[in-house]
Amino acid sequence: MSRSTSREVSLVHGGKEYFSLLKSLIGQAKESIYIQTYIFDEDQTGTDIANELKAAAQRGVKVFLLVDGYASGHLSHSFISGLKKVGIGFRMFDPLLKSKYFYLGRRLHHKVVTVDCIHALVGGMNISNRYNDMPDQPAWLDWAIYAKGEVALWLTNICQQRVKPGSLKRMLGRSPNYREQFINSPVSVNINDWVRGKREITNSYLNMFRQAADTIMIMSAYFLPNDQFRNELRKAAQRGVKVKLILAGPSDIALAKYAERYLYRWLFTKNIEIYEYQKSILHGKLAVYDSLWATVGSYNVNTVSAYASIELNLAVLDHDFAVKVENTLHAIMQNDCVRITENQIRHAGLLKRFLQWCAYVIYRSVFYLFTFYFKQRE
């Protein structure tokens, strides 16, 4: 786990709020812009951001764009050449093996933006109309953290390493006391990357389950915890921790939702509260506990994020920030969710339970390696 000082940290709602901030940061950039994302669509939102990046490059800003080679593999030659023509460093992140129908290896699933080594955005939003508020449809619900300060410098280095290995010492030379700042900072950069043996986000969730004394709140778009997560959730609930889950109601992936609902009976027997979000598609990934600590980023609580993707979250150990996240989630539960009841769970028919079980088995055993079903979804 790497730590850094941040002079400013705030929670950013997806949709118009996020993309307005992103455009503003690109517009004020003077030295460098790094954007790394899973999906970059050639739609109105993608075109608008691409035009902002081109304008930045034309005024002398060094711009680097890295997208996942599978989820963004649909980008046209003319779109990519237009970026490169103005000097934007564009590259696709490739897996070990891929074809039209399958994808084997790591996915670049993290969503990171840094500007001038000072400003950073880390969250779950891809560059696509689905994550933006459009005239005919609201954005999918998602979140990001805006951070200003030394954490942006560290994130820039991470982005640089993904594009092309660089000099960590040279970049961090701008901050001579960075070691002390990392130790004392409330903001930490957590990465999951199975190829490099990093399980920092996974471990941060496990620590939350073990340390929480009062309340755990988790919003997860595709919730399928492994046995270790379930065991720690069970222990937390048994010692009196109130565990509240905000999960998808309408879902863009029917198989994932069926698999998720197979777990509802187990969750209910452990006194874990379940809320299904109704207002739009849920895509957010964040958690908070005891008004002390919160994490926001690209990590879903499932085997795909744990074992098949490069994920990045920012975690914040700060009372005020954690309270803001808790209040936000409480409002969503009250205004935009339906709480799942014992009656709903008990009256699920045998056929539905069987189909849910089948989805659960398939999802857990296959899709963390062969992620063709998730193309352009997460």
Side-chain angles (χ1 to χ4, degrees):
M1 181 173 65
S2 306
R3 294 189 177 275
S4 178
T5 300
S6 180
R7 296 191 296 273
E8 183 180 345
V9 178
S10 58
L11 184 67
V12 180
H13 194 287
K16 183 179 179 180
E17 181 178 335
Y18 175 82
F19 284 100
S20 294
L21 177 56
L22 176 57
K23 288 181 180 181
S24 175
L25 292 175
I26 295 173
Q28 66 181 291
K30 295 180 175 59
E31 296 179 7
S32 67
I33 299 170
Y34 285 83
I35 296 184
Q36 300 190 353
T37 189
Y38 182 59
I39 298 171
F40 200 116
D41 274 341
E42 202 170 335
D43 55 15
Q44 181 178 333
T45 298
T47 300
D48 287 347
I49 297 302
N51 288 338
E52 295 286 344
L53 294 175
K54 290 177 184 178
Q58 288 171 334
R59 65 175 185 267
V61 179
K62 295 180 179 179
V63 181
F64 302 91
L65 175 60
L66 177 66
V67 302
D68 186 73
Y70 190 67
S72 298
H74 58 281
L75 289 174
S76 68
H77 175 74
S78 60
F79 187 85
I80 295 171
S81 63
L83 296 172
K84 292 181 176 180
K85 186 176 180 179
V86 296
I88 293 175
F90 176 88
R91 188 168 75 84
M92 287 193 176
F93 183 89
D94 287 325
L96 299 175
L97 296 170
K98 70 174 181 179
S99 78
K100 182 179 179 181
Y101 301 106
F102 73 87
Y103 181 103
L104 178 62
R106 292 183 298 172
R107 301 180 306 154
L108 182 77
H109 193 242
H110 73 207
K111 292 89 175 176
V112 183
V113 178
T114 74
V115 174
D116 293 344
C117 300
I118 298 172
H119 307 277
L121 281 168
V122 170
M125 277 77 71
N126 293 291
I127 309 299
S128 170
N129 283 350
R130 284 171 290 180
Y131 308 91
N132 200 0
D133 290 306
M134 306 304 294
D136 57 339
Q137 63 180 17
W140 290 4
L141 179 63
D142 215 331
W143 307 95
I145 286 181
Y146 165 75
K148 182 179 180 181
E150 296 298 331
V151 68
L153 177 60
W154 187 251
L155 288 166
T156 302
N157 177 71
I158 292 170
C159 289
Q160 186 189 55
Q161 296 296 315
R162 293 285 178 212
V163 174
K164 182 178 180 181
S167 171
L168 174 64
K169 182 177 179 181
R170 175 176 58 81
M171 293 198 69
L172 294 179
R174 296 180 55 177
S175 178
N177 298 320
Y178 77 91
R179 294 185 186 277
E180 291 78 8
Q181 293 167 349
F182 276 28
I183 292 171
N184 297 322
S185 173
V187 183
S188 58
V189 179
N190 295 154
I191 296 172
N192 258 47
D193 183 353
W194 64 271
V195 168
R196 290 184 167 84
K198 289 182 176 291
R199 299 179 74 248
E200 295 169 353
I201 309 175
T202 297
N203 290 337
S204 73
Y205 270 82
L206 292 172
N207 288 336
M208 173 177 66
F209 299 151
R210 293 163 183 163
Q211 295 174 10
D214 182 59
T215 305
I216 295 171
M217 302 175 72
I218 299 172
M219 175 181 282
S220 181
Y222 312 103
F223 183 79
L224 202 72
N226 60 26
D227 292 341
Q228 185 180 26
F229 269 42
R230 289 173 63 181
N231 188 46
E232 295 299 335
L233 275 172
R234 175 185 58 80
K235 290 179 181 178
Q238 284 179 339
R239 66 175 185 267
V241 178
K242 294 184 285 292
V243 181
K244 304 172 186 290
L245 304 176
I246 302 176
L247 308 178
S251 177
D252 61 313
I253 306 179
L255 180 69
K257 192 63 226 181
Y258 256 79
E260 194 173 82
R261 285 183 173 141
Y262 175 72
L263 292 178
Y264 281 11
R265 189 181 296 263
W266 180 89
L267 293 167
F268 193 84
T269 63
K270 303 301 180 285
N271 296 317
I272 294 173
E273 298 178 18
I274 308 166
Y275 298 82
E276 288 191 347
Y277 181 73
Q278 302 295 314
K279 198 171 181 180
S280 65
I281 299 295
L282 173 65
H283 195 257
K285 314 124 186 352
L286 71 163
V288 61
Y289 80 93
D290 290 356
S291 302
L292 295 174
W293 178 93
T295 182
V296 181
S298 65
Y299 183 87
N300 289 298
V301 182
N302 60 33
T303 52
V304 177
S305 281
Y307 302 115
S309 302
I310 296 172
E311 309 283 3
L312 192 147
N313 277 31
L314 285 188
V316 183
L317 182 63
D318 179 81
H319 172 73
D320 291 342
F321 184 82
V323 168
K324 178 177 177 57
V325 173
E326 287 177 341
N327 290 341
T328 299
L329 294 183
H330 276 300
I332 289 172
M333 285 189 293
Q334 292 175 6
N335 301 323
D336 303 323
C337 291
V338 171
R339 182 172 177 178
I340 302 302
T341 65
E342 181 180 9
N343 185 59
Q344 290 172 294
I345 295 173
R346 290 188 181 278
H347 285 80
L350 290 177
L351 177 59
K352 181 177 288 187
R353 288 287 296 167
F354 175 72
L355 293 175
Q356 291 171 349
W357 176 81
C358 291
Y360 176 79
V361 171
I362 293 171
Y363 197 100
R364 288 197 67 186
S365 61
V366 177
F367 286 94
Y368 74 94
L369 286 179
F370 300 95
T371 59
F372 60 89
Y373 192 85
F374 296 90
K375 182 180 180 182
Q376 299 185 27
R377 297 291 188 177
E378 298 183 356

